[in-house]
Coordinates of all heavy atoms in Angstrom, one line a residue:
M1 N 4.3 -3.3 12.5 CA 5.3 -4.1 11.8 C 6.5 -4.3 12.8 O 6.9 -3.3 13.4 CB 5.7 -3.4 10.5 CG 6.5 -4.2 9.6 SD 5.7 -5.6 8.8 CE 4.3 -4.9 8.1
K2 N 7.0 -5.5 12.8 CA 8.1 -5.8 13.6 C 9.2 -6.4 12.7 O 9.0 -6.9 11.7 CB 7.8 -6.9 14.7 CG 6.9 -6.4 15.8 CD 6.7 -7.4 16.9 CE 7.9 -7.3 17.9 NZ 7.6 -8.2 19.0
I3 N 10.5 -6.3 13.2 CA 11.6 -6.9 12.5 C 12.2 -7.9 13.4 O 12.5 -7.6 14.6 CB 12.6 -5.8 12.1 CG1 12.0 -4.8 11.2 CG2 13.8 -6.5 11.5 CD1 12.9 -3.6 10.9
G4 N 12.4 -9.1 12.9 CA 13.1 -10.2 13.7 C 14.2 -10.7 12.9 O 14.3 -10.6 11.7
T5 N 15.2 -11.3 13.7 CA 16.4 -11.9 13.1 C 16.4 -13.3 13.6 O 16.3 -13.6 14.8 CB 17.6 -11.2 13.5 OG1 17.5 -9.8 13.0 CG2 18.9 -11.8 12.8
L6 N 16.6 -14.2 12.6 CA 16.6 -15.7 13.0 C 17.9 -16.3 12.4 O 18.3 -15.9 11.2 CB 15.4 -16.4 12.4 CG 14.1 -16.1 13.0 CD1 13.0 -16.8 12.2 CD2 14.0 -16.4 14.5
G7 N 18.5 -17.2 13.1 CA 19.6 -17.9 12.5 C 19.1 -19.0 11.5 O 18.1 -19.6 11.8
V8 N 19.8 -19.2 10.4 CA 19.4 -20.2 9.5 C 20.4 -21.3 9.4 O 20.4 -22.2 8.5 CB 19.2 -19.6 8.1 CG1 17.9 -18.7 8.1 CG2 20.4 -18.8 7.6
G9 N 21.3 -21.4 10.4 CA 22.2 -22.5 10.5 C 23.2 -22.7 9.3 O 24.0 -21.9 9.0
D10 N 23.1 -23.9 8.8 CA 24.0 -24.4 7.8 C 23.7 -23.9 6.3 O 23.7 -24.7 5.4 CB 24.1 -25.9 7.8 CG 24.6 -26.4 9.1 OD1 25.4 -25.7 9.8 OD2 24.3 -27.5 9.5
L11 N 23.4 -22.7 6.2 CA 23.1 -22.1 4.9 C 24.4 -21.7 4.2 O 25.0 -20.8 4.6 CB 22.1 -20.9 5.0 CG 21.7 -20.2 3.8 CD1 20.9 -21.1 2.9 CD2 20.9 -19.0 4.1
F12 N 24.7 -22.4 3.2 CA 26.0 -22.2 2.6 C 26.0 -21.6 1.2 O 26.9 -21.1 0.7 CB 26.9 -23.5 2.5 CG 27.3 -24.0 3.8 CD1 26.8 -25.2 4.3 CD2 28.1 -23.2 4.6 CE1 27.1 -25.6 5.6 CE2 28.5 -23.7 5.9 CZ 28.0 -24.9 6.3
S13 N 24.8 -21.7 0.5 CA 24.8 -21.2 -0.9 C 23.8 -20.1 -1.1 O 22.8 -20.0 -0.3 CB 24.4 -22.4 -1.8 OG 23.0 -22.7 -1.7
V14 N 24.0 -19.3 -2.0 CA 23.1 -18.2 -2.4 C 21.8 -18.8 -2.8 O 20.8 -18.2 -2.6 CB 23.8 -17.3 -3.4 CG1 22.8 -16.2 -3.9 CG2 25.0 -16.6 -2.8
L15 N 21.8 -19.9 -3.5 CA 20.6 -20.5 -4.0 C 19.7 -20.9 -2.9 O 18.5 -20.7 -2.9 CB 20.9 -21.7 -4.9 CG 21.6 -21.4 -6.2 CD1 21.9 -22.7 -6.9 CD2 20.7 -20.6 -7.1
S16 N 20.3 -21.4 -1.8 CA 19.5 -21.7 -0.6 C 18.9 -20.4 0.0 O 17.7 -20.5 0.4 CB 20.4 -22.4 0.5 OG 20.9 -23.6 0.0
A17 N 19.6 -19.4 0.0 CA 19.1 -18.1 0.5 C 17.9 -17.6 -0.3 O 16.8 -17.2 0.3 CB 20.2 -17.0 0.5
H18 N 17.9 -17.7 -1.6 CA 16.8 -17.3 -2.4 C 15.6 -18.2 -2.2 O 14.5 -17.8 -2.2 CB 17.2 -17.3 -3.9 CG 18.2 -16.3 -4.3 ND1 17.9 -14.9 -4.2 CD2 19.5 -16.3 -4.7 CE1 18.9 -14.2 -4.5 NE2 19.9 -15.0 -4.9
G19 N 15.8 -19.5 -2.0 CA 14.8 -20.4 -1.7 C 14.0 -20.1 -0.4 O 12.8 -20.1 -0.4
I20 N 14.8 -19.8 0.6 CA 14.2 -19.4 1.9 C 13.4 -18.1 1.7 O 12.2 -18.0 2.2 CB 15.2 -19.3 3.0 CG1 15.8 -20.7 3.3 CG2 14.7 -18.6 4.2 CD1 17.0 -20.7 4.2
E21 N 14.0 -17.1 1.1 CA 13.2 -15.9 0.9 C 11.9 -16.1 0.1 O 10.9 -15.5 0.4 CB 14.1 -14.9 0.1 CG 15.3 -14.3 1.0 CD 16.3 -13.5 0.2 OE1 16.2 -13.4 -1.1 OE2 17.1 -12.9 0.8
R22 N 12.0 -17.0 -0.9 CA 10.8 -17.2 -1.7 C 9.7 -17.9 -0.9 O 8.6 -17.6 -0.9 CB 11.2 -18.1 -2.9 CG 10.1 -18.4 -3.9 CD 10.5 -19.1 -5.1 NE 11.2 -20.4 -4.8 CZ 12.5 -20.6 -5.1 NH1 13.2 -19.7 -5.7 NH2 13.0 -21.7 -4.8
Q23 N 10.1 -18.9 0.0 CA 9.1 -19.5 0.9 C 8.5 -18.6 1.9 O 7.3 -18.6 2.2 CB 9.8 -20.7 1.6 CG 10.1 -21.9 0.7 CD 8.9 -22.4 0.0 OE1 7.9 -22.6 0.6 NE2 9.1 -22.7 -1.3
L24 N 9.3 -17.7 2.4 CA 8.8 -16.7 3.4 C 7.9 -15.7 2.8 O 7.0 -15.2 3.5 CB 10.0 -16.0 4.1 CG 10.8 -16.9 5.0 CD1 12.0 -16.2 5.6 CD2 10.0 -17.5 6.1
R25 N 8.0 -15.5 1.5 CA 7.0 -14.5 0.9 C 5.6 -15.1 0.9 O 4.7 -14.3 0.8 CB 7.4 -14.2 -0.6 CG 8.5 -13.1 -0.6 CD 8.8 -12.9 -2.1 NE 9.8 -13.8 -2.4 CZ 10.6 -13.8 -3.5 NH1 10.3 -13.0 -4.4 NH2 11.5 -14.7 -3.7
H26 N 5.5 -16.4 1.1 CA 4.2 -17.0 1.1 C 3.5 -17.1 2.5 O 2.4 -17.5 2.6 CB 4.2 -18.4 0.5 CG 4.7 -18.5 -0.9 ND1 3.9 -18.0 -2.0 CD2 5.8 -18.9 -1.5 CE1 4.5 -18.1 -3.1 NE2 5.7 -18.7 -2.9
V27 N 4.3 -16.7 3.5 CA 3.8 -16.7 4.8 C 2.9 -15.4 5.1 O 3.4 -14.3 4.9 CB 4.9 -16.8 5.9 CG1 4.4 -16.7 7.3 CG2 5.7 -18.0 5.7
A28 N 1.7 -15.7 5.5 CA 0.8 -14.5 5.8 C 1.4 -13.7 6.9 O 1.8 -14.2 7.9 CB -0.6 -15.0 6.2
G29 N 1.5 -12.4 6.6 CA 2.0 -11.4 7.6 C 3.5 -11.1 7.4 O 3.9 -10.1 8.0
V30 N 4.2 -11.8 6.6 CA 5.6 -11.5 6.3 C 5.6 -10.5 5.1 O 5.1 -10.8 4.0 CB 6.4 -12.7 5.9 CG1 7.8 -12.3 5.4 CG2 6.5 -13.6 7.1
S31 N 6.1 -9.3 5.3 CA 6.2 -8.3 4.2 C 7.5 -8.3 3.5 O 7.6 -8.0 2.3 CB 5.9 -6.9 4.7 OG 6.9 -6.5 5.7
R32 N 8.6 -8.8 4.2 CA 9.9 -8.8 3.6 C 10.8 -9.8 4.3 O 10.7 -9.9 5.6 CB 10.5 -7.4 3.6 CG 11.8 -7.3 2.9 CD 12.3 -5.9 2.9 NE 13.7 -5.8 2.4 CZ 14.6 -5.0 2.8 NH1 14.3 -4.0 3.6 NH2 15.8 -5.0 2.3
A33 N 11.7 -10.4 3.6 CA 12.7 -11.3 4.2 C 14.0 -11.2 3.5 O 14.0 -11.1 2.3 CB 12.2 -12.8 4.2
S34 N 15.1 -11.1 4.2 CA 16.4 -11.0 3.6 C 17.3 -12.0 4.3 O 17.6 -11.9 5.5 CB 16.9 -9.6 3.8 OG 18.2 -9.4 3.3
V35 N 17.8 -12.9 3.5 CA 18.7 -13.9 4.0 C 20.2 -13.6 3.7 O 20.5 -13.2 2.6 CB 18.4 -15.3 3.4 CG1 19.4 -16.4 3.9 CG2 17.0 -15.7 3.8
N36 N 21.0 -13.6 4.7 CA 22.4 -13.4 4.5 C 23.2 -14.7 4.7 O 23.4 -15.2 5.8 CB 22.9 -12.4 5.5 CG 24.4 -12.0 5.3 OD1 25.2 -12.8 4.8 ND2 24.7 -10.7 5.6
P37 N 23.6 -15.3 3.5 CA 24.3 -16.6 3.7 C 25.7 -16.5 4.3 O 26.1 -17.5 4.9 CB 24.4 -17.1 2.2 CG 24.2 -15.9 1.4 CD 23.4 -14.9 2.2
V38 N 26.3 -15.4 4.3 CA 27.6 -15.2 5.0 C 27.4 -15.3 6.5 O 28.2 -16.0 7.2 CB 28.3 -13.9 4.5 CG1 29.6 -13.7 5.3 CG2 28.5 -13.9 3.0
S39 N 26.5 -14.5 7.0 CA 26.3 -14.5 8.5 C 25.4 -15.6 9.0 O 25.4 -15.9 10.2 CB 25.7 -13.1 8.9 OG 24.4 -13.0 8.5
G40 N 24.6 -16.2 8.1 CA 23.7 -17.3 8.5 C 22.5 -16.8 9.2 O 22.0 -17.5 10.0
T41 N 22.1 -15.6 8.8 CA 20.9 -15.0 9.5 C 19.8 -14.6 8.5 O 20.2 -14.4 7.3 CB 21.2 -13.8 10.4 OG1 21.8 -12.8 9.5 CG2 22.2 -14.2 11.5
T42 N 18.6 -14.5 9.0 CA 17.5 -14.0 8.1 C 16.9 -12.9 8.9 O 16.5 -13.0 10.1 CB 16.5 -15.1 7.9 OG1 17.1 -16.2 7.3 CG2 15.3 -14.6 7.1
M43 N 16.7 -11.7 8.2 CA 15.9 -10.6 8.8 C 14.5 -10.7 8.2 O 14.4 -10.8 7.0 CB 16.6 -9.3 8.5 CG 17.8 -9.0 9.3 SD 18.4 -7.3 9.1 CE 17.1 -6.4 10.0
I44 N 13.5 -10.6 9.1 CA 12.1 -10.7 8.6 C 11.3 -9.5 9.1 O 11.4 -9.2 10.3 CB 11.5 -12.0 9.2 CG1 12.3 -13.2 8.7 CG2 10.0 -12.1 8.7 CD1 13.0 -13.9 9.9
W45 N 10.6 -8.9 8.2 CA 9.7 -7.8 8.6 C 8.3 -8.5 8.5 O 7.9 -9.0 7.5 CB 9.8 -6.7 7.5 CG 11.0 -5.9 7.6 CD1 11.1 -4.6 8.1 CD2 12.3 -6.2 7.1 NE1 12.4 -4.2 7.9 CE2 13.2 -5.2 7.3 CE3 12.8 -7.4 6.5 CZ2 14.5 -5.2 7.0 CZ3 14.2 -7.4 6.1 CH2 15.0 -6.3 6.4
Y46 N 7.6 -8.5 9.7 CA 6.4 -9.2 9.8 C 5.4 -8.5 10.7 O 5.7 -7.7 11.5 CB 6.6 -10.6 10.3 CG 7.1 -10.7 11.7 CD1 6.2 -11.0 12.7 CD2 8.4 -10.4 12.1 CE1 6.6 -11.1 14.1 CE2 8.8 -10.5 13.4 CZ 7.9 -10.8 14.4 OH 8.3 -10.8 15.7
D47 N 4.1 -8.9 10.5 CA 3.0 -8.4 11.3 C 2.7 -9.4 12.4 O 2.3 -10.5 12.1 CB 1.8 -8.2 10.4 CG 0.5 -7.8 11.2 OD1 0.5 -7.7 12.4 OD2 -0.4 -7.4 10.5
P48 N 3.0 -9.1 13.7 CA 2.8 -10.1 14.8 C 1.4 -10.5 15.0 O 1.1 -11.4 15.7 CB 3.5 -9.4 16.0 CG 3.4 -7.9 15.7 CD 3.5 -7.8 14.2
G49 N 0.5 -9.7 14.4 CA -0.9 -10.1 14.5 C -1.3 -11.2 13.6 O -2.4 -11.8 13.7
K50 N -0.4 -11.5 12.6 CA -0.7 -12.5 11.6 C 0.2 -13.7 11.7 O -0.1 -14.8 11.2 CB -0.7 -11.9 10.2 CG -1.7 -10.9 9.9 CD -1.6 -10.4 8.5 CE -2.7 -9.3 8.3 NZ -2.7 -8.8 6.9
T51 N 1.4 -13.5 12.2 CA 2.4 -14.6 12.3 C 3.3 -14.4 13.5 O 3.3 -13.3 14.1 CB 3.1 -14.8 11.0 OG1 3.8 -16.1 11.1 CG2 4.1 -13.7 10.7
S52 N 4.1 -15.3 13.8 CA 5.1 -15.2 14.9 C 6.5 -15.7 14.4 O 6.6 -16.4 13.4 CB 4.7 -16.1 16.1 OG 4.7 -17.4 15.7
L53 N 7.5 -15.3 15.2 CA 8.8 -15.8 14.8 C 8.9 -17.3 14.9 O 9.6 -17.9 14.1 CB 9.9 -15.1 15.7 CG 10.3 -13.7 15.4 CD1 11.3 -13.2 16.4 CD2 10.8 -13.6 14.0
S54 N 8.2 -17.9 15.8 CA 8.3 -19.4 15.9 C 7.6 -20.0 14.6 O 8.1 -21.0 14.1 CB 7.6 -19.9 17.2 OG 6.2 -19.5 17.2
A55 N 6.6 -19.4 14.1 CA 6.0 -20.0 12.9 C 6.9 -19.7 11.7 O 7.0 -20.6 10.8 CB 4.6 -19.3 12.6
I56 N 7.5 -18.6 11.7 CA 8.5 -18.3 10.6 C 9.7 -19.2 10.7 O 10.2 -19.8 9.7 CB 8.9 -16.8 10.6 CG1 7.7 -15.9 10.4 CG2 10.1 -16.5 9.7 CD1 7.9 -14.5 10.7
R57 N 10.2 -19.5 11.9 CA 11.3 -20.4 12.1 C 10.9 -21.8 11.5 O 11.7 -22.5 10.9 CB 11.7 -20.5 13.5 CG 12.9 -21.4 13.8 CD 13.2 -21.6 15.3 NE 13.3 -20.3 16.0 CZ 14.4 -19.6 16.1 NH1 15.5 -19.9 15.5 NH2 14.3 -18.4 16.8
A58 N 9.7 -22.2 11.8 CA 9.2 -23.6 11.3 C 9.3 -23.6 9.8 O 9.6 -24.6 9.2 CB 7.8 -23.8 11.8
V59 N 8.9 -22.5 9.1 CA 9.0 -22.5 7.6 C 10.4 -22.6 7.2 O 10.7 -23.4 6.2 CB 8.3 -21.2 7.1 CG1 8.6 -21.0 5.6 CG2 6.8 -21.2 7.4
I60 N 11.3 -21.9 7.8 CA 12.7 -22.0 7.5 C 13.2 -23.4 7.7 O 13.9 -24.0 6.8 CB 13.6 -21.0 8.3 CG1 13.2 -19.6 7.9 CG2 15.1 -21.2 8.1 CD1 13.8 -18.5 8.8
E61 N 12.9 -24.0 8.8 CA 13.3 -25.4 9.0 C 12.8 -26.4 8.0 O 13.5 -27.3 7.6 CB 12.9 -25.9 10.4 CG 13.7 -25.1 11.5 CD 13.2 -25.4 12.9 OE1 12.2 -26.1 13.1 OE2 13.8 -24.8 13.9
D62 N 11.5 -26.1 7.5 CA 11.0 -27.0 6.5 C 11.7 -26.9 5.1 O 11.6 -27.7 4.3 CB 9.5 -26.7 6.3 CG 8.6 -27.2 7.4 OD1 9.1 -28.0 8.2 OD2 7.5 -26.7 7.6
C63 N 12.4 -25.8 5.0 CA 13.2 -25.6 3.7 C 14.3 -26.5 3.7 O 14.9 -26.8 2.6 CB 13.7 -24.1 3.6 SG 12.4 -22.9 3.3
G64 N 14.7 -27.1 4.8 CA 15.8 -28.1 4.8 C 17.1 -27.6 5.1 O 18.1 -28.0 5.0

């Protein structure tokens, strides 16, 4: 299990944070995700054998 931190850019609302966390729960290999709307970062606990930070970043970008 690895822990990665990604910037989520213009995340201003708590509702957006919950939406990103909800979407990341559906990514195979992600066991936990925590979005901090104040710092604009997401911490992800993931299995690098099943997913990568670049794939996780793509999911976050798709959230809009």
Side-chain angles (χ1 to χ4, degrees):
M1 192 65 56
K2 289 183 89 172
I3 299 173
T5 302
L6 296 173
V8 291
D10 298 331
L11 179 64
F12 293 114
S13 75
V14 174
L15 293 176
S16 297
H18 291 297
I20 290 172
E21 289 172 351
R22 186 173 52 245
Q23 290 300 317
L24 291 176
R25 276 183 273 189
H26 298 292
V27 176
V30 173
S31 63
R32 182 175 173 212
S34 177
V35 177
N36 184 328
V38 175
S39 68
T41 60
T42 302
M43 287 189 68
I44 302 112
W45 289 256
Y46 69 100
D47 179 347
K50 295 182 180 180
T51 192
S52 65
L53 282 179
S54 61
I56 294 167
R57 183 183 311 272
V59 171
I60 292 171
E61 290 171 359
D62 286 345
C63 289

